[in-house]
Every structure is written in structure tokens, then in C-alpha cells.
Amino acid sequence: SAISPDLTHNDKSKQVTSGGPIEYDISGAETYDTIMSITLAPSDPNVIWVGSDDGMVHVTRNGGKTWTDVTGNISGAPEWARVYQLGDSPFDPGPAYVSFDAHMLGNHNPYVYRTRDYGKTWQKIVNGLPNEPVHVVREDPNQRGLLVLGCDTGLYYSTNDGDQWQKFPVDFPVVPVWDVTFAKSEHDLDVATHGRGLFVLSDIRPIEEMTPQVASSDFHLFSINEAVLMNRFFGGKQGQRSTLYRVPFEMQGANVDYFLKTAIKGPHGHGGPGDHPESLEGAPHPAPLNIVLTAAAGPTVATNYAPPDAGVNHFVWNLLYHAPFRYLGQPAPRLRGGAAAFFFGVGGGPTVAPGTYKVAVTVNDQTQIQTVSVVKDPGVPVVAGAFASEVAYGLEARDMMSSLDETLNHIDELDHQISSFAAAVRPAEGQEADPRYKDVLDAGRSLHQSLDKLKNVLWNTKIQRGASEDDLHWLSDLHAKVEGLLRGASIGYGQPVSSQAREQMTAVRQELATQLADFNQIVKTQVSDYNKLAKKVDAPTLFAGAPVSLPAGGK
């Protein structure tokens, strides 16, 4: 059923076929009197706005029973300019935004108008815009008065309902923008361009929440959007599933955005997302800005170090628990992300379970807190309690790795202390060794042999860690077994841990407990004996640290 009369000029002279006499121009570029935009008010579907390619603007407030031509109320609008899009306010049915494109008439000026009374009166709103045709203006449904505009050279926005415009604060290409729309629940901005495809600007909350009060503050932590725990396996074609979706520069996790009025000077850590403060260097990183994530029940999930730059800073928590302590004698870990990293390197701890997490951002001594809700992939069915089971299994594997790596670091440090003293008292060529240190040096050689034997069980020194798959030439060491547990904990999604996996965990844990007990026994006996001999001759004693323990599973 037709619900309107003709809402165009219906100028028959503009509806003839152009071109000729040899060839007709059938592109339609010079054919007018076509409706180009129909917009229903989100707050009242009886309010419908219509724009045409011949510069007409109409509105109905009763679902099409009667229509009002408001074109004549728009002072200064060029005749026959195209109205590609009409933007209606998502909050009230009365306000609307219209733009006119007159570049086909040789007029490249911007024409943007705002009404707040169903088109009875209009205000021209072009302050700050370039001399470029404008195609679309829409209002953010999450922030009244925040407008986004698309023109021939990109994106502009206004925080005061169009009174003043400024360039959109992202690195956006210089390209015609023909339409924009907002994904309300995700706080995303979708942008359709002419020639460069579709863009999604993820989570624009910093723009929505950037009030004058925030801009004048020293530090502000923005609210954090819901984070979806996507079911992602491999990035290659063989591993793609129906739920897998990837785009360039996609950042997976929870977006943590914060504003700093000035840059924070001083040393700061360079740990990547998910790094534990002690996981890379064996000691906390000095940092003026850190992000601590905790579960609802209180335990720390991860501590991260983020950029302390002036302006809005962006950090993505990758939804992982903090990484295990790292053995400093191994190559730098490769964070999970793709088949190569999955098979040949484990970085980060296990993935968190769905739930609510606290995010505390500290700048020097000032802390602000927000919460983030982590939800499961809506397209994947899961077994009740499976996430908790997976997390407990992964945390147990991570803690086993930490104990093992801590032991390897102690072994290397003890070897370094032994060899340093031996080198210091080594006689020059042609000279006799000082007999005072004979017993200490003999004890050091014996201790080194015991440590080396243990290390080869924990970490096979024959394997070239930097050579891909060189471990295929040698029997697996204990470190590889524990790494396999941690790797296995990262591939499940909402599935209970199998009985076979638990049996493997129990077997490897028992083996690790035996080796840690052997190391602690070496410290208790041989290191103690070495230190007694060293004290007798005023030689340096060895520092072995506290006994290495194996934490309870899944804590």
C-alpha cells in the first residue's frame, strides 16, 4: 500500500534519457526525482523522514497518513542537491539531521542542518568542516549530542550537537564516507566508504565519555565494555570454524582505555599483555603505570604494564592469567596466536573463565577501578562447570611450570657462582694452584656434576632451542612435558578436562615433585657442605635461596 504522494519535484524534464544521438547515457547520473533516504525515528516509528536526489525533505508524524514538505524551511540549502541520508535522533522523534551534496552542480561546500521540532525550523551546523560535500550525519545512541559525520574526505564528529566539528581522532583514510551506523551494545562505529570497503571502529567509549571534566583531569579510567571469550582455534584455513572471524588489526580481549593529561615520566616496564611482573626478568618491573586484574573473589589474575602517554591510552587485556615464571636460559616466549606459536612456544597463562573481573589502573599513587564482564562465545554450547575445570587444570600446569623454571634459574645461578670463584682463583700459566682452595674447588666440581645431571632431566641441554623441531632428535625432557600440559590447557573451550588429561597431569606432577625434592636435597647437603669448606678458607659462600616448592593444584 502506498503511504505517500510523490515526495519529489517530479520534474519530467529531469527524467529523460540523457546522451545521444549516437549513444545514450544509461548510468542514470543525470536522472532525478528519486527517493534516496527513508528514516524511521527509533523512538517513534510513526515519524518517518524522506530525502530525495532532487533536494526535497518530507516528514510524517502519523505513519504516512499526512506528509509535510519542510524543504522550504531549510534556509540556504542548494536546489537540486542530493539528500543521501537523513539522521534521526535515537532519543526523541523531533530532532533530525540532513546534509545536501551539491558537487554535481559545481558546488563543493558543506551543507548540514539540524532541526529539533520536526522540521519547522532548521539551523545550519558547519563550523569546523572542510569545504567538502557531506553525505551523512548520525547521532550516537549511547551519548546524546555526539554526532558523527561522513564527508568526501573522511570522518568528523561533534560533542555539542553539531555546534562545532572536528576531525575524528583516529588514523582514518582520506576517503568518501557514505554512511555510518552505531552498534549500541558494543559501542562500535561502523563506517561504509566509497572505494575502501567497510570499517568497524571498535569501542568508541573514550570519545563518548570525554567530557570537559575528564579532559581537565590528570587521570581518568573509562568504563569497560563486555569482553567476549571467543572460541578461536587456529588462524589457518584448516582450523577455521563457523564461529571464527578475523579482520586485520583485530584486538581480542577487554579494552582498557584511560586518559592522562600529561605523560608519566620515568622508567616503566615493557611487558606485553598477560605478563606477570616477575615472569620475564625474575623481579618486578619499576613502572609508573600498571593494571592489576583480579577475579570477583579477590585473587590476582594478572598484572600488566601499559603506556603512560599523554592523551587517551589504549590497552587490551588478552583474557589470560599471568604467565609462569620464565627460565631465563630459554628463548623469549612467543605469545599464543597462530599455529606456530601454539605448537612451538607457550606464552601467557591459561584463559580466564566467564565472569566479572575488577580492573584497577594505578598511575603513580592514584588508583581508579572499573569492572569488566567476560562472557562466553554465544555461538558455542558449553558443559556446565567446564570452564572452571579448564581454568583449574591450566593454573595447575602454569604453577608447575613456574616451579620448574624457578629451579632451573637456581641451578644456573649456582653454577655461575661456582664457576666465578673457580675462575677467580685459577692459577696463571706455569704456577701452582693455591692449596688452600683445593677442597672448595673439588666440592664445587662435584656439586656442578650433580646440578648438571639434574638439569639434563629437567631441561635437555642437547636440544637446540632456537632450531625448529630439534627436540624431535632427543628424548623429551620434563620441561617439555609440563609445557605440553600448559599447551593442552589452552585449546579446550567449555569442555570438561578428560580423565586421560588428569592422569597425565598426575604423572607429570609426581615426576616434577621428585626432581624438586632432589634439587632441595642437593641444596641441603652439597651446597651446605661447600659453604662450610668455603668459610674455613674465607672463600665466598653460595646463595641458593629458599627451597623450591610445588603449589597446590589450581590455586
Side-chain angles (χ1 to χ4, degrees):
S1 302
I3 64 167
S4 78
D6 193 328
L7 301 180
T8 72
H9 281 296
N10 194 21
D11 185 337
K12 298 303 182 182
S13 67
K14 299 290 195 300
Q15 299 171 24
V16 298
T17 302
S18 62
I22 304 301
E23 289 185 353
Y24 288 123
D25 178 3
I26 59 173
S27 69
E30 290 81 26
T31 303
Y32 287 86
D33 308 317
T34 301
I35 289 175
M36 301 198 76
S37 177
I38 304 175
T39 302
L40 277 68
S43 59
D44 184 355
N46 287 312
V47 177
I48 307 173
W49 292 86
V50 170
S52 68
D53 65 353
D54 54 11
M56 301 286 286
V57 178
H58 289 79
V59 64
T60 176
R61 299 174 62 178
N62 53 20
K65 294 178 182 178
T66 58
W67 290 83
T68 302
D69 180 0
V70 299
T71 311
N73 301 335
I74 308 175
S75 177
E79 189 178 8
W80 293 100
R82 295 178 186 263
V83 179
Y84 286 107
Q85 304 288 352
L86 271 159
D88 204 335
S89 172
F91 302 99
D92 302 300
Y97 308 90
V98 63
S99 58
F100 296 86
D101 177 9
H103 84 274
M104 288 186 176
L105 309 174
N107 183 348
H108 288 260
N109 294 324
Y111 293 94
V112 186
Y113 295 86
R114 172 188 66 206
T115 182
R116 291 169 176 161
D117 54 11
Y118 299 96
K120 294 179 182 179
T121 61
W122 295 83
Q123 298 81 41
K124 192 174 184 180
I125 49 172
V126 295
N127 290 334
L129 292 178
N131 286 329
E132 298 287 348
V134 175
H135 306 295
V136 60
V137 179
R138 299 200 188 279
E139 185 176 22
D140 188 339
N142 288 307
Q143 184 61 47
R144 186 187 292 268
L146 176 59
L147 307 181
V148 175
L149 174 150
C151 66
D152 256 3
T153 56
L155 283 174
Y156 283 76
Y157 78 111
S158 171
T159 59
N160 51 18
D161 202 29
D163 290 341
Q164 182 66 39
W165 297 93
Q166 53 190 316
K167 193 76 172 175
F168 209 79
V170 298
D171 186 15
F172 196 81
V174 179
V175 61
V177 172
W178 286 80
D179 201 1
V180 298
T181 186
F182 296 87
K184 183 177 180 179
S185 61
E186 293 85 1
H187 294 258
D188 291 348
L189 175 65
D190 305 327
V191 184
T193 74
H194 178 67
R196 291 291 296 274
L198 180 69
F199 290 81
V200 176
L201 307 183
S202 299
D203 199 350
I204 63 170
R205 286 181 183 231
I207 297 174
E208 295 173 339
E209 299 178 10
M210 182 58 76
T211 64
Q213 292 77 14
V214 171
S216 63
S217 64
D218 293 330
F219 163 50
H220 179 80
L221 174 61
F222 298 102
S223 60
I224 303 174
N225 204 17
E226 181 180 84
V228 181
L229 196 63
M230 297 299 293
N231 177 27
R232 297 181 179 276
F233 199 54
F234 298 103
K237 292 183 179 180
Q238 292 82 2
Q240 289 184 354
R241 302 176 179 180
S242 59
T243 59
L244 182 63
Y245 176 70
R246 291 187 185 278
V247 296
F249 313 116
E250 185 181 28
M251 305 285 281
Q252 289 304 307
N255 294 317
V256 181
D257 298 300
Y258 50 94
F259 171 79
L260 296 177
K261 191 172 185 180
T262 58
I264 305 299
K265 304 297 182 181
H268 57 280
H270 299 280
D275 286 336
H276 188 248
E278 288 89 17
S279 63
L280 292 182
E281 305 297 339
H285 292 204
L289 190 151
N290 64 69
I291 299 175
V292 177
L293 301 117
T294 56
T300 299
V301 172
T303 299
N304 301 273
Y305 299 100
D309 303 321
V312 175
N313 291 265
H314 180 66
F315 174 80
V316 180
W317 173 40
N318 56 9
L319 307 183
L320 299 181
Y321 279 85
H322 70 70
F325 288 97
R326 182 183 166 221
Y327 172 42
L328 300 179
Q330 66 178 323
R334 285 168 285 188
L335 292 175
R336 276 187 265 138
F342 172 79
F343 276 116
F344 305 123
V346 175
T351 305
V352 300
T356 300
Y357 296 85
K358 184 174 69 173
V359 181
V361 178
T362 300
V363 178
N364 292 330
D365 295 326
Q366 185 181 358
T367 299
Q368 294 186 21
I369 296 174
Q370 293 282 357
T371 59
V372 58
S373 177
V374 177
V375 299
K376 79 171 189 68
D377 189 329
V380 180
V382 299
V383 179
F387 280 113
S389 173
E390 289 178 341
V391 169
Y393 184 88
L395 290 177
E396 183 172 1
R398 181 205 63 183
D399 292 345
M400 290 168 60
M401 180 67 77
S402 289
S403 296
L404 177 51
D405 284 351
E406 184 182 2
T407 303
L408 288 168
N409 285 329
H410 283 324
I411 290 174
D412 284 359
E413 178 58 30
L414 284 170
D415 270 337
H416 174 71
Q417 295 178 59
I418 294 169
S419 60
S420 295
F421 174 71
V425 299
R426 185 181 297 122
E429 186 175 351
Q431 295 183 357
E432 295 290 333
D434 191 328
R436 290 181 301 166
Y437 303 123
K438 181 180 183 304
D439 291 342
V440 178
L441 294 173
D442 289 344
R445 281 189 289 269
S446 177
L447 175 56
H448 168 74
Q449 291 173 357
S450 297
L451 293 173
D452 191 54
K453 181 179 178 181
L454 176 60
K455 183 176 180 178
N456 279 324
V457 175
L458 303 179
W459 175 270
N460 192 339
T461 56
K462 295 180 180 179
I463 297 175
Q464 302 176 82
R465 307 285 168 172
S468 180
E469 299 189 5
D470 189 59
D471 54 334
L472 297 178
H473 303 153
W474 309 97
L475 293 176
S476 178
D477 52 64
L478 185 54
H479 196 278
K481 294 178 182 178
V482 178
E483 190 176 76
L485 295 177
L486 188 55
R487 185 183 297 117
S490 69
I491 64 173
Y493 190 93
Q495 298 297 320
V497 177
S498 67
S499 58
Q500 293 90 341
R502 293 189 182 281
E503 290 173 2
Q504 183 185 22
M505 171 75 76
T506 299
V508 175
R509 186 181 182 89
Q510 290 175 349
E511 185 179 352
L512 176 59
T514 299
Q515 302 304 328
L516 296 186
D518 288 347
F519 172 75
N520 290 330
Q521 184 63 25
I522 290 173
V523 172
K524 184 178 180 180
T525 56
Q526 290 185 259
V527 172
S528 178
D529 292 342
Y530 179 100
N531 286 340
K532 291 177 182 178
L533 294 172
K535 287 180 180 179
K536 290 181 180 180
V537 293
D538 293 328
T541 57
L542 302 177
F543 177 74
V548 179
S549 60
L550 187 58
K555 301 298 182 182

